Amino acid sequence: MGEIELSCRAYVKMHLHACLFPRCSVNGLLLSSGAPGGAVCVTDCVPLLHSHLSLAPITQLALTQVDVWCSQTQQRIVGYYQANACASDSSPTPCALKIADKISEQCSNAVLLMIDGGKMSPHDRVPPIVMYERKDSKWILKDKHTIMLRQWEETRLIANQMLDSGDHALLVDFDSHLDDITKDWTNQKVNNKILELASPANGNV
Amino acid sequence: MDPFLSFTEMRDKLRKWREDNCRNSEQIVDVGEELISDHGSKLGDDVWIIYEQVMIAALDCSRDDLAMTCLQELRKQFPDSHRVKRLSGMRLEALERYDEATKYYEAILQDDPTNTAARKRKISILKAQGKPAEAIRELNEYLEQFVGDQEAWHELSELYINEHDYGKAAFCLEELMMTNPHNHLYCEQYAEVKYTQGGLDNLELSRKYFAQALRLNNRNMRALFGLYMLAGRGTKENKCSVKAVEEMLESMQITMS
């Protein structure tokens, strides 16, 4: 199907989310600020849960709130990511498939991204992710050549730097927001930190 | 973390984390390692329980070096202890040597069939190996014998939720609510499970238990939002006014955006 590009900001936040809760399954939504049609560019992500991923009410609440925020900020939900607690198993769970199905109702070239916990390391040569796309009501592996991650080296360096300096603790997911409602699940602080760390010569992350 | 904590502050922090059963392993390793190396002699008999605490935290952070140091001290002091054998087993688990770890635990259980810690570790291994059905079966057998074990009931409810077996998860949470009627978290989790099951009766129960959770703790946001989402549904007699919930939200100065 279509091409997809994963931005530095989206990847780093997903990575930090998985690292912040290494003993839990985590999930979140992939967003795009680009116009529909053509190649999809995932420009941001919203980390959602780190507990009870398969229970409905909080997921529904989060989807509604993110939807509202997206319409206010000219973004669209274009995908879903998940990292399983059991690092050796990176296959999509039934709840991942369900949520991804729901997203693809609104966005025809939605993607399902699984983070491969077993492959995560500070020296990954390729991003430890597996992407799926929807074809004939089934989720199939996406052709690796249609997935782009510009400046993977730089993205990986930024992620490592933020982990080393403990900045991953700044990341707020929807679950944490519900524990302390003053926390910002749009993660402006983390977004700014990522911008700071990105090379000044590169204007577009 | 303040780098200049005094000896008593470090020791008290570790005690608090032990009492609250926190799993903040990186912090425990930071504080514990320093406490043991710089102030070990001042700890008295506390040192053994601190070795145990730091060892488990070290395993969580992949610090096998630190874990071995602690384990060796404990083995020297308590050579025949089942409690220390369990720690040896946990180290093997951390190294993913599950078969060897299982043998350790089975040896403990041969000696002492009532050793709950060893049984629970065997169940944790099944979970780590991605065998939820076996873990559930073993945990059910365990609970037939040790019916008052809250931690086990909660673990079982989590396993059932992951397997989408909401009916059985609800049963576990009902057990927990019976023995802990003032715990708002159990009420709220039960309400979430009922909501997920769907259907008029379950949604009605869900609404009731979100309300109960909120009554027990009016800052439980999940319960508040759950109630808000269900308000206005259900039979005419039981319709909880959306306005009432909105007023509650207003008073806590929270809006939906």
Side-chain angles (χ1 to χ4, degrees), chain A residues 52-146:
Chain A
H52 301 151
L53 270 61
S54 52
L55 289 182
I58 306 304
T59 305
Q60 277 184 14
L61 176 67
L63 280 167
T64 313
Q65 290 217 4
V66 175
D67 226 358
V68 168
W69 182 63
C70 281
S71 57
Q72 291 168 345
T73 52
Q74 285 82 48
Q75 296 182 87
R76 314 173 284 134
I77 301 178
V78 296
Y80 169 85
Y81 75 83
Q82 184 168 309
N84 291 333
C86 193
S88 53
D89 174 18
S90 66
S91 50
T93 57
C95 103
L97 295 171
K98 224 174 174 186
I99 301 177
D101 276 343
K102 215 164 171 72
I103 295 173
S104 66
E105 278 171 22
Q106 302 291 327
C107 170
S108 55
N109 44 7
V111 288
L112 165 57
L113 193 159
M114 296 298 296
I115 298 179
D116 192 342
K119 294 217 171 82
M120 282 173 86
S121 89
H123 312 291
D124 298 318
R125 284 187 310 121
V126 289
I129 61 179
V130 185
M131 261 205 217
Y132 298 82
E133 60 185 3
R134 204 144 196 272
K135 203 169 185 186
D136 304 323
S137 317
K138 279 211 284 272
W139 289 92
I140 55 168
L141 277 171
K142 202 167 162 63
D143 178 4
K144 285 203 185 99
H145 299 106
T146 57

Side-chain angles (χ1 to χ4, degrees), chain B residues 241-253:
Chain B
S241 153
V242 175
K243 199 151 193 304
V245 178
E246 274 174 352
E247 277 167 17
M248 228 191 309
L249 282 168
E250 269 284 319
S251 72
M252 298 174 83
Q253 296 179 335

Side-chain angles (χ1 to χ4, degrees), chain B residues 207-221:
Chain B
R207 195 182 59 73
K208 285 201 175 116
Y209 279 91
F210 276 133
Q212 176 68 352
L214 213 45
R215 215 172 60 98
L216 293 169
N217 178 343
N218 66 357
R219 301 217 77 93
N220 185 324
M221 292 310 307

Side-chain angles (χ1 to χ4, degrees), chain A residues 22-23 50-58 60-61 64-65 68 72 86 88 93-95 98 168 174-179 181 185, chain B residues 23 25-26 60 127-130 154 158 161-162 164 166 189 191-193 195-196 210 219 221-222 225-226 229 233 254-257:
Chain A
R23 299 136 200 155
H50 57 266
S51 67
H52 301 151
L53 270 61
S54 52
L55 289 182
I58 306 304
Q60 277 184 14
L61 176 67
T64 313
Q65 290 217 4
V68 168
Q72 291 168 345
C86 193
S88 53
T93 57
C95 103
K98 224 174 174 186
H168 60 304
F174 205 79
D175 248 343
S176 314
H177 166 74
L178 288 175
D179 291 333
I181 205 100
W185 53 260
Chain B
R23 197 176 171 176
S25 301
E26 288 93 352
D60 227 3
K127 207 178 153 189
Q129 291 177 310
H154 197 246
E158 299 274 326
I161 288 172
N162 284 339
H164 306 280
Y166 302 117
Q189 279 179 26
E192 284 193 53
V193 170
Y195 185 111
T196 310
F210 276 133
R219 301 217 77 93
M221 292 310 307
R222 289 179 179 80
F225 278 119
M229 292 194 297
R233 292 207 217 177
I254 296 148
T255 55
M256 269 305 264
S257 64

